[in-house]
């Protein structure tokens, strides 16, 4: 059995990380004896022709993907194109969006054969051995499918009791060097579950109210595997890493006992941390912590069932800074009952905290309490265009705040960052740029160039050529600069640094030069279909 898992395109501004969910699914498929490939279209170009060539090269029996609401339409498109190109394929999709909107997903997409609901690893493990026998699908818990024009949802699958029984994610199938080139962290989960009732969140619906923990030993095993790929930065993507302080201590102690050195960050809640716990995390290499503050208005926090207080937020941020952690506070604008006054409360509270902070706009995803019980709230959903559910522009309104008002509020508070950028550009023109400003400009320009190279498959398009007596790196930089229109000197610095870091490799055979991205500890020898 050959299985192709597809990582669906995702916006760069969302700082995509190597696909963790697909890596877990890939691992259980490999454990079941399947040959698996991951087609990563997040940091490489996607178009139907490339998908067709990748399918022809690998010739899978099954194609699967996962999606959140924001990129669900692209996932639909990919499944549709794959099925049209190879009608014999069995197609499946998982993830939070289709879990809570599977009926529409199946009705609107006859090319989609199976929806995997909720946690997918055990479901896929049982499904793969019988996936070619449609009669057997009825006996697999946790899936939905169409049969004779009717939707069939099988018995719900219980949550996985022992997370240590899961194989480690198959990161060897991911082109990690591409993510390393952009400086993006790899994600891990050390637990699943969230005991909180926030009305705008899917956490508890997907992975349960009760927190289930992986053992400290198993977590450290995974970290060691990650570090073996040359990765040095990890983001803990748990819904609530600090749900249990003793367990945080156990994980951090195991990291220290093994002498594992890496930088890491985690999301937390302000009512689950104290200075001692934060210090333990800091001593184990954690350098950044994020808190979902959501609002600077206490009544709003009660309304959305956040379960925290402004005073708890003050104490958590203060303690984090005291132990030397970088703090990021996240706020949501457009929550039910939002008013101009409550938005200003959030702005004032963000300033009071004196921490890095940012604003998102409410996106009522399928499966959230706020969407399912919309009539109970002062809130109107303005669109079901899933492409707009990126939390970066308003798609709701309240009786006192329009979508335009919410967008204008966020834009106003983003002006300071835009002004810093504009000032830095002007200072560089005037020859008065500070070192910090130069680093900021250079860093952003570097990210933009590398993403252009990655998303456009530029290396695959211009990285093969005849040597003709020229230095291969010089020739490559000339070709990339000509292709992208970027400054040649800047391209040279950037691309040479990628080679120095080991992300780019070069083969020279006679007069033929071929540049390629390193694939983990080996080379990426999957067909370069973009040529």
């Amino acid at each position: 059995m050959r299985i192709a898992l597809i990582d669906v395109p995702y916006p760069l501004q969302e700082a995509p990380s190597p696909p963790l969910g697909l890596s877990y699914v890939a691992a259980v498929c490999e454990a079941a004896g399947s040959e698996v490939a991951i087609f990563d279209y997040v940091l490489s170009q996607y178009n139907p022709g490339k998908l067709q060539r990748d399918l022809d090269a690998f010739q899978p029996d099954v194609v699967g993907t996962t999606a959140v609401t924001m990129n669900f339409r692209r996932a639909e498109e990919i499944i549709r194109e794959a099925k049209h190109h190879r009608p014999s394929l069995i197609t499946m999709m998982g993830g939070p969006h289709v879990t809570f909107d599977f009926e529409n997903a199946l009705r609107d997409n006859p090319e989609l054969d199976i929806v995997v609901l909720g946690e997918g690893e055990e479901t896929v493990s049982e499904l793969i051995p019988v996936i070619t026998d449609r009669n057997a699908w009825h006996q697999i818990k946790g899936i939905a499918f169409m049969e004779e024009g009717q939707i069939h949802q099988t018995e719900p699958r219980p949550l996985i009791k022992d997370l240590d029984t899961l194989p480690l994610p198959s990161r060897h199938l991911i082109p990690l060097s591409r993510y390393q080139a952009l400086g993006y962290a790899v994600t891990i989960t050390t637990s699943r579950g969230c005991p909180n009732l926030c009305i705008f969140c899917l956490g508890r619906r997907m992975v349960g109210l009760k927190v289930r923990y992986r053992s400290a030993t198993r977590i450290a095993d995974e970290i060691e595997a990650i570090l073996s790929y040359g990765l040095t930065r990890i983001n803990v993507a748990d819904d609530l890493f600090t749900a249990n302080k003793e367990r945080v201590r156990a994980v951090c102690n195991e990291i220290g006992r093994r002498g594992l050195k890496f930088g890491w960050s985690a999301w937390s809640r302000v009512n689950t941390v104290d200075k001692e716990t934060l210090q333990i995390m800091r001593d184990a290499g954690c350098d950044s912590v994020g808190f979902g503050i959501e609002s600077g208005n206490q009544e709003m926090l009660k309304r959305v069932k956040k379960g925290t207080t402004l005073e708890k937020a003050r104490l958590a941020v203060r303690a984090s800074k005291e132990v030397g952690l970088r703090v990021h506070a996240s706020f949501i604008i457009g929550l039910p009952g939002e008013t101009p006054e409550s938005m200003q409360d959030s702005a004032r509270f963000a300033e009071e905290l004196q921490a890095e902070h940012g604003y998102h706009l409410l996106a009522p995803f399928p499966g959230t309490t706020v969407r399912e019980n919309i009539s109970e709230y002062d809130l109107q959903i303005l669109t079901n265009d899933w492409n707009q559910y990126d939390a970066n522009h308003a798609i709701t309104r309240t009786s006192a705040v329009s979508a335009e008002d919410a967008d204008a509020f966020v834009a106003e508070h983003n002006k300071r960052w835009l002004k810093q950028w504009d000032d830095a550009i002007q200072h560089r023109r005037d020859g008065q740029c500070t070192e910090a400003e130069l680093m900021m400009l250079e860093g952003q320009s570097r990210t933009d160039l590398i993403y252009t190279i990655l998303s456009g498959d530029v290396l695959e398009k211009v990285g093969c050529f005849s040597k003709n007596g020229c230095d291969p790196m010089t020739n490559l930089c000339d070709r990339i600069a000509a292709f992208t229109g970027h400054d040649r000197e800047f391209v040279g610095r950037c691309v040479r640094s990628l080679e120095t870091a080991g992300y780019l490799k070069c083969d020279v055979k006679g007069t033929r030069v071929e540049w390629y991205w390193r694939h983990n500890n080996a080379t990426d020898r999957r067909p370069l279909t973009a040529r």
Side-chain angles (χ1 to χ4, degrees):
M1 178 75 65
R2 288 190 168 197
I3 302 172
L5 300 175
I6 298 176
D7 197 16
V8 180
Y10 201 74
L12 174 66
Q13 59 265 33
E14 301 299 327
S17 58
L20 181 60
L22 281 186
S23 301
Y24 267 113
V25 173
V28 298
C29 289
E30 288 188 312
S34 298
E35 184 178 351
V36 184
I38 292 180
F39 298 169
D40 190 314
Y41 296 137
V42 173
L43 293 186
S44 69
Q45 188 176 60
Y46 170 76
N47 57 59
K50 181 179 180 182
L51 172 63
Q52 292 170 13
R53 294 190 293 274
D54 282 343
L55 292 172
D56 289 344
F58 185 62
Q59 297 197 357
D61 306 291
V62 178
V63 163
T65 189
T66 184
V68 294
T69 299
M70 178 176 58
N71 65 349
F72 171 66
R73 294 301 184 202
R74 296 303 299 275
E76 284 182 312
E77 174 190 340
I78 289 172
I79 289 292
R80 191 176 302 124
E81 185 61 43
K83 191 79 161 186
H84 287 175
H85 182 62
R86 295 174 65 87
S88 63
L89 282 172
I90 297 173
T91 58
M92 59 183 183
M93 188 184 299
H97 183 89
V98 290
T99 291
F100 300 110
D101 198 32
F102 66 88
E103 293 183 351
N104 286 323
L106 289 166
R107 287 197 184 100
D108 295 345
N109 297 280
E111 301 85 359
L112 177 59
D113 294 315
I114 303 169
V115 170
V116 177
L117 306 170
E119 274 186 335
E121 292 91 352
E122 288 187 347
T123 300
V124 170
S125 181
E126 291 182 14
L127 176 62
I128 291 303
V130 299
I131 200 166
T132 58
D133 179 6
R134 290 188 65 96
N135 292 326
W137 295 1
H138 293 269
Q139 308 307 315
I140 304 297
K141 296 178 181 179
I143 64 173
F145 55 91
M146 292 285 287
E147 190 171 73
E148 297 181 351
Q150 299 295 318
I151 293 177
H152 290 264
Q153 180 183 5
T154 64
E155 182 181 344
R157 178 171 295 278
L159 296 170
I160 299 168
K161 290 183 179 180
D162 183 1
L163 296 178
D164 279 356
T165 61
L166 293 174
L168 295 183
S170 293
R171 292 189 176 90
H172 61 279
L173 299 175
I174 302 171
L176 291 173
S177 60
R178 293 171 174 263
Y179 291 91
Q180 289 173 290
L182 279 170
Y184 289 164
V186 65
T187 57
I188 66 170
T189 52
T190 73
S191 66
R192 293 183 184 179
C194 182
N196 300 292
L197 302 174
C198 306
I199 67 173
F200 50 81
C201 183
L202 284 171
R204 71 185 186 281
R205 295 289 304 277
M206 279 296 289
V207 289
L209 277 166
K210 182 180 179 181
V211 183
R212 294 161 290 144
Y213 301 103
R214 298 173 66 200
S215 68
T217 300
R218 191 63 168 161
I219 294 164
D221 288 343
E222 181 175 356
I223 292 172
E224 285 187 333
I226 290 170
L227 299 182
S228 73
Y229 292 125
L231 295 153
T232 58
R233 179 141 203 95
I234 294 174
N235 176 49
V236 178
D238 296 17
D239 287 293
L240 184 51
F241 175 67
T242 52
N244 183 304
K245 294 174 183 177
E246 287 306 311
R247 189 268 184 163
V248 170
R249 182 188 295 272
V251 171
C252 292
N253 284 346
E254 185 66 14
I255 289 172
R257 187 185 72 80
R258 298 197 192 189
L260 303 178
K261 303 297 182 183
F262 62 101
W264 58 282
S265 59
W267 279 93
S268 184
R269 279 173 62 93
V270 299
N271 60 341
T272 63
V273 295
D274 54 33
K275 190 172 180 179
E276 180 184 5
T277 301
L278 293 165
Q279 185 65 61
I280 290 169
M281 292 166 58
R282 185 73 184 94
D283 292 343
C286 182
D287 52 31
S288 176
V289 63
F291 296 112
I293 307 294
E294 319 310 3
S295 176
N297 179 280
Q298 188 61 55
E299 187 58 37
M300 180 69 79
L301 295 179
K302 292 179 182 178
R303 186 178 303 132
V304 301
K305 298 185 178 180
K306 181 66 182 178
T308 60
T309 66
L310 299 181
E311 183 57 26
K312 286 284 188 183
R314 293 185 182 98
L315 293 173
V317 170
R318 184 183 308 141
S320 299
K321 290 194 288 187
E322 286 175 354
V323 303
L325 288 170
R326 181 178 179 180
V327 182
H328 181 80
S330 177
F331 292 83
I332 300 177
I333 297 301
L335 292 165
E338 189 83 90
T339 65
E341 292 76 23
S342 63
M343 290 193 298
Q344 290 304 319
D345 287 341
S346 291
R348 283 190 291 269
F349 192 62
E351 292 299 320
E352 176 191 334
L353 292 176
Q354 290 294 296
E356 294 179 28
H357 62 274
Y359 297 95
H360 285 97
L361 284 302
L362 176 67
F365 302 119
T368 55
T369 300
V370 68
R371 186 181 187 89
E372 293 186 345
N373 300 331
I374 188 69
S375 63
E376 300 178 10
Y377 303 104
D378 173 19
L379 191 74
Q380 179 185 358
I381 298 173
L382 302 177
T383 180
N384 287 327
D385 177 357
W386 304 132
N387 291 332
Q388 297 189 48
Y389 278 59
D390 58 6
N392 292 322
H393 63 279
I395 54 173
T396 65
R397 62 163 298 139
T398 68
S399 59
V401 174
S402 68
E404 294 75 16
D405 292 336
D407 281 333
F409 172 86
V410 174
E412 177 64 29
H413 287 274
N414 285 340
K415 277 184 178 179
R416 70 170 65 185
W417 314 117
L418 295 174
K419 185 177 186 305
Q420 284 184 3
W421 183 261
D422 291 340
D423 288 348
I425 292 174
Q426 187 59 52
H427 293 162
R428 184 169 62 181
R429 289 173 183 157
D430 298 340
Q432 300 175 344
C433 205
T434 67
E435 184 176 347
E437 288 174 329
L438 280 172
M439 288 180 62
M440 179 180 71
L441 293 174
E442 181 93 357
Q444 186 60 52
S445 297
R446 174 187 169 87
T447 297
D448 291 343
L449 173 61
I450 295 174
Y451 185 66
T452 296
I453 295 171
L454 290 166
S455 62
D457 283 343
V458 173
L459 190 67
E460 292 80 353
K461 292 173 180 174
V462 306
C464 294
F465 46 83
S466 296
K467 190 174 181 181
N468 294 330
C470 295
D471 170 56
M473 172 55 71
T474 299
N475 201 334
L476 177 65
C477 294
D478 289 342
R479 294 166 71 87
I480 290 176
F483 189 91
T484 64
H486 282 73
D487 175 74
R488 172 59 180 82
E489 182 180 350
F490 177 70
V491 169
R493 292 200 306 274
C494 184
V495 175
R496 288 179 187 278
S497 72
L498 297 177
E499 182 195 30
T500 300
Y503 307 146
L504 293 184
K505 296 290 185 179
C506 179
D507 274 349
V508 180
K509 296 180 179 179
T511 62
R512 181 174 175 78
V513 175
E514 179 184 3
W515 287 93
Y516 52 88
W517 294 99
R518 189 197 75 220
H519 189 74
N520 303 334
N521 289 336
T523 57
D524 188 353
R525 286 308 186 197
R526 191 164 66 82
L528 299 178
T529 57
R531 287 184 197 159

